[in-house]
Amino acid sequence: MAAEPGSNQSVERALTVLRALAAGRTELRVSDVARATGLGLSTASRLLATLEGMGFADRDPVSGLYRLGLDMVSFGGAVLNSHPVHREARQTAQDLAAELGLGVNVAVRRGDRLFYLLNFEGRQAPRPFVLAGQYNPLHATGLGKALLTGLNGDERRALLPDATLRAYTHHTITSHEQLDEELARTFARGYATEIEELALGRACVAAAIRDGSGAVVAALSVSGALSAIDLPVREIELVRSVIEAADSVSINLGYVGPAHVVPQQAVAPGVMS
């Protein structure tokens, strides 16, 4: 692992170790960390011991495996509590999950991926893990499509080269021509849908969140299993709820522009988008 010019190599290496612990399996051997980071075994071991002493890594006394330390939660909580979108969206998302019984997610764009700021699970959409802090592709998710409406076609192509539009299922959009059409539809109606494009058996409805300047800064979605989302029956209901929630957060962020009018019929009869 080569350090960037002007960087502090020790800090960079320690952060690389933390990233290795945050990715993949929940517990790793020293050799796993060394392999994932490109560090020597002794360097990885020394860094892990230092991180353990600082509370940023924990070592199982029986297995000797390492995982992230609980002190990391304090940092994560402080970051989220200071983020304006998280502050304004948290209660709205929690209430919506309880009302609909579905998962409610809020994400921002970080480079060419979306980053989950928060998620709440309704009774029909339980998850065995915390989604906040994870990444997903922009082109294969409803949240990502909503976020991409803040960019024009040239900006999207610069951000997402053709090779990055990989297929996750046979429903995934894999060309910019398809993406342009989908985003034009998303922008015109004020919401995005995703049906089995990232994972089979899953679907979501999402809408963009704007700040006081009118820029798209985040997106909010409801998601769950196909049977729970049931778009042929529930699309109008879910679209209204998602747009109203996203608009509420936008207003709290200072947005004063025109809100999307929720259509009486979300899609034409017999058409699934």
Side-chain angles (χ1 to χ4, degrees), residues 210-229:
R210 297 176 181 272
D211 66 6
S213 72
V216 174
V217 294
L220 180 147
S221 74
V222 296
S223 64
L226 281 178
S227 58
I229 292 288

mmCIF file of all heavy atoms in Angstrom, residues 210-229:
data_model
loop_
_atom_site.group_PDB
_atom_site.id
_atom_site.type_symbol
_atom_site.label_atom_id
_atom_site.label_comp_id
_atom_site.label_asym_id
_atom_site.label_seq_id
_atom_site.Cartn_x
_atom_site.Cartn_y
_atom_site.Cartn_z
ATOM 1 N N ARG A 210 -34.243 18.019 -1.403
ATOM 2 C CA ARG A 210 -33.485 19.200 -1.838
ATOM 3 C C ARG A 210 -33.188 20.115 -0.660
ATOM 4 O O ARG A 210 -33.927 20.132 0.325
ATOM 5 C CB ARG A 210 -34.266 19.963 -2.913
ATOM 6 C CG ARG A 210 -34.500 19.149 -4.189
ATOM 7 C CD ARG A 210 -35.352 19.890 -5.210
ATOM 8 N NE ARG A 210 -35.572 19.099 -6.396
ATOM 9 C CZ ARG A 210 -34.772 19.081 -7.455
ATOM 10 N NH1 ARG A 210 -33.690 19.868 -7.464
ATOM 11 N NH2 ARG A 210 -35.027 18.335 -8.496
ATOM 12 N N ASP A 211 -32.115 20.900 -0.803
ATOM 13 C CA ASP A 211 -31.781 21.849 0.247
ATOM 14 C C ASP A 211 -32.244 23.252 -0.136
ATOM 15 O O ASP A 211 -32.969 23.426 -1.111
ATOM 16 C CB ASP A 211 -30.280 21.825 0.551
ATOM 17 C CG ASP A 211 -29.429 22.317 -0.616
ATOM 18 O OD1 ASP A 211 -29.985 22.786 -1.642
ATOM 19 O OD2 ASP A 211 -28.185 22.233 -0.510
ATOM 20 N N GLY A 212 -31.820 24.237 0.627
ATOM 21 C CA GLY A 212 -32.281 25.600 0.393
ATOM 22 C C GLY A 212 -31.896 26.167 -0.954
ATOM 23 O O GLY A 212 -32.555 27.079 -1.465
ATOM 24 N N SER A 213 -30.837 25.624 -1.569
ATOM 25 C CA SER A 213 -30.428 26.097 -2.891
ATOM 26 C C SER A 213 -31.196 25.424 -4.015
ATOM 27 O O SER A 213 -31.062 25.809 -5.182
ATOM 28 C CB SER A 213 -28.925 25.835 -3.083
ATOM 29 O OG SER A 213 -28.669 24.444 -3.251
ATOM 30 N N GLY A 214 -31.982 24.402 -3.674
ATOM 31 C CA GLY A 214 -32.712 23.642 -4.681
ATOM 32 C C GLY A 214 -31.968 22.433 -5.194
ATOM 33 O O GLY A 214 -32.494 21.672 -6.018
ATOM 34 N N ALA A 215 -30.730 22.227 -4.716
ATOM 35 C CA ALA A 215 -29.938 21.083 -5.171
ATOM 36 C C ALA A 215 -30.429 19.789 -4.529
ATOM 37 O O ALA A 215 -30.874 19.784 -3.376
ATOM 38 C CB ALA A 215 -28.470 21.299 -4.825
ATOM 39 N N VAL A 216 -30.341 18.699 -5.290
ATOM 40 C CA VAL A 216 -30.655 17.377 -4.746
ATOM 41 C C VAL A 216 -29.512 16.965 -3.830
ATOM 42 O O VAL A 216 -28.382 16.783 -4.276
ATOM 43 C CB VAL A 216 -30.840 16.344 -5.872
ATOM 44 C CG1 VAL A 216 -31.020 14.946 -5.290
ATOM 45 C CG2 VAL A 216 -32.040 16.702 -6.745
ATOM 46 N N VAL A 217 -29.799 16.822 -2.539
ATOM 47 C CA VAL A 217 -28.756 16.502 -1.565
ATOM 48 C C VAL A 217 -28.935 15.126 -0.937
ATOM 49 O O VAL A 217 -28.025 14.620 -0.273
ATOM 50 C CB VAL A 217 -28.698 17.562 -0.442
ATOM 51 C CG1 VAL A 217 -28.254 18.899 -1.010
ATOM 52 C CG2 VAL A 217 -30.038 17.686 0.267
ATOM 53 N N ALA A 218 -30.085 14.518 -1.135
ATOM 54 C CA ALA A 218 -30.354 13.215 -0.529
ATOM 55 C C ALA A 218 -31.588 12.629 -1.203
ATOM 56 O O ALA A 218 -32.189 13.249 -2.093
ATOM 57 C CB ALA A 218 -30.574 13.342 0.977
ATOM 58 N N ALA A 219 -31.965 11.442 -0.788
ATOM 59 C CA ALA A 219 -33.192 10.818 -1.276
ATOM 60 C C ALA A 219 -33.758 9.941 -0.167
ATOM 61 O O ALA A 219 -33.030 9.474 0.709
ATOM 62 C CB ALA A 219 -32.922 9.975 -2.525
ATOM 63 N N LEU A 220 -35.061 9.755 -0.218
ATOM 64 C CA LEU A 220 -35.778 8.937 0.775
ATOM 65 C C LEU A 220 -36.566 7.867 0.045
ATOM 66 O O LEU A 220 -37.158 8.140 -1.005
ATOM 67 C CB LEU A 220 -36.697 9.832 1.602
ATOM 68 C CG LEU A 220 -37.550 9.167 2.700
ATOM 69 C CD1 LEU A 220 -37.731 10.145 3.871
ATOM 70 C CD2 LEU A 220 -38.917 8.742 2.179
ATOM 71 N N SER A 221 -36.573 6.657 0.593
ATOM 72 C CA SER A 221 -37.313 5.575 -0.060
ATOM 73 C C SER A 221 -38.064 4.733 0.948
ATOM 74 O O SER A 221 -37.740 4.715 2.141
ATOM 75 C CB SER A 221 -36.354 4.667 -0.841
ATOM 76 O OG SER A 221 -35.601 3.848 0.043
ATOM 77 N N VAL A 222 -39.081 4.041 0.459
ATOM 78 C CA VAL A 222 -39.686 2.933 1.197
ATOM 79 C C VAL A 222 -39.341 1.678 0.410
ATOM 80 O O VAL A 222 -39.371 1.669 -0.821
ATOM 81 C CB VAL A 222 -41.208 3.080 1.370
ATOM 82 C CG1 VAL A 222 -41.531 4.303 2.211
ATOM 83 C CG2 VAL A 222 -41.917 3.164 0.030
ATOM 84 N N SER A 223 -39.001 0.610 1.130
ATOM 85 C CA SER A 223 -38.550 -0.601 0.452
ATOM 86 C C SER A 223 -39.011 -1.829 1.209
ATOM 87 O O SER A 223 -39.383 -1.759 2.385
ATOM 88 C CB SER A 223 -37.022 -0.607 0.336
ATOM 89 O OG SER A 223 -36.430 -0.650 1.626
ATOM 90 N N GLY A 224 -38.958 -2.945 0.505
ATOM 91 C CA GLY A 224 -39.332 -4.202 1.131
ATOM 92 C C GLY A 224 -39.463 -5.299 0.098
ATOM 93 O O GLY A 224 -39.135 -5.122 -1.083
ATOM 94 N N ALA A 225 -39.946 -6.426 0.538
ATOM 95 C CA ALA A 225 -40.186 -7.541 -0.373
ATOM 96 C C ALA A 225 -41.281 -7.173 -1.367
ATOM 97 O O ALA A 225 -42.147 -6.331 -1.077
ATOM 98 C CB ALA A 225 -40.590 -8.779 0.415
ATOM 99 N N LEU A 226 -41.251 -7.801 -2.544
ATOM 100 C CA LEU A 226 -42.267 -7.518 -3.564
ATOM 101 C C LEU A 226 -43.679 -7.677 -3.011
ATOM 102 O O LEU A 226 -44.562 -6.865 -3.289
ATOM 103 C CB LEU A 226 -42.079 -8.457 -4.761
ATOM 104 C CG LEU A 226 -40.978 -8.134 -5.757
ATOM 105 C CD1 LEU A 226 -40.935 -9.218 -6.830
ATOM 106 C CD2 LEU A 226 -41.178 -6.773 -6.383
ATOM 107 N N SER A 227 -43.873 -8.714 -2.215
ATOM 108 C CA SER A 227 -45.210 -8.971 -1.680
ATOM 109 C C SER A 227 -45.646 -7.885 -0.713
ATOM 110 O O SER A 227 -46.846 -7.586 -0.595
ATOM 111 C CB SER A 227 -45.238 -10.330 -0.981
ATOM 112 O OG SER A 227 -44.263 -10.380 0.061
ATOM 113 N N ALA A 228 -44.702 -7.272 0.008
ATOM 114 C CA ALA A 228 -45.035 -6.214 0.953
ATOM 115 C C ALA A 228 -45.219 -4.880 0.252
ATOM 116 O O ALA A 228 -46.146 -4.117 0.565
ATOM 117 C CB ALA A 228 -43.947 -6.100 2.023
ATOM 118 N N ILE A 229 -44.354 -4.575 -0.716
ATOM 119 C CA ILE A 229 -44.487 -3.326 -1.471
ATOM 120 C C ILE A 229 -45.751 -3.363 -2.331
ATOM 121 O O ILE A 229 -46.514 -2.399 -2.391
ATOM 122 C CB ILE A 229 -43.252 -3.102 -2.358
ATOM 123 C CG1 ILE A 229 -42.018 -2.825 -1.488
ATOM 124 C CG2 ILE A 229 -43.477 -1.965 -3.337
ATOM 125 C CD1 ILE A 229 -41.992 -1.489 -0.821
#
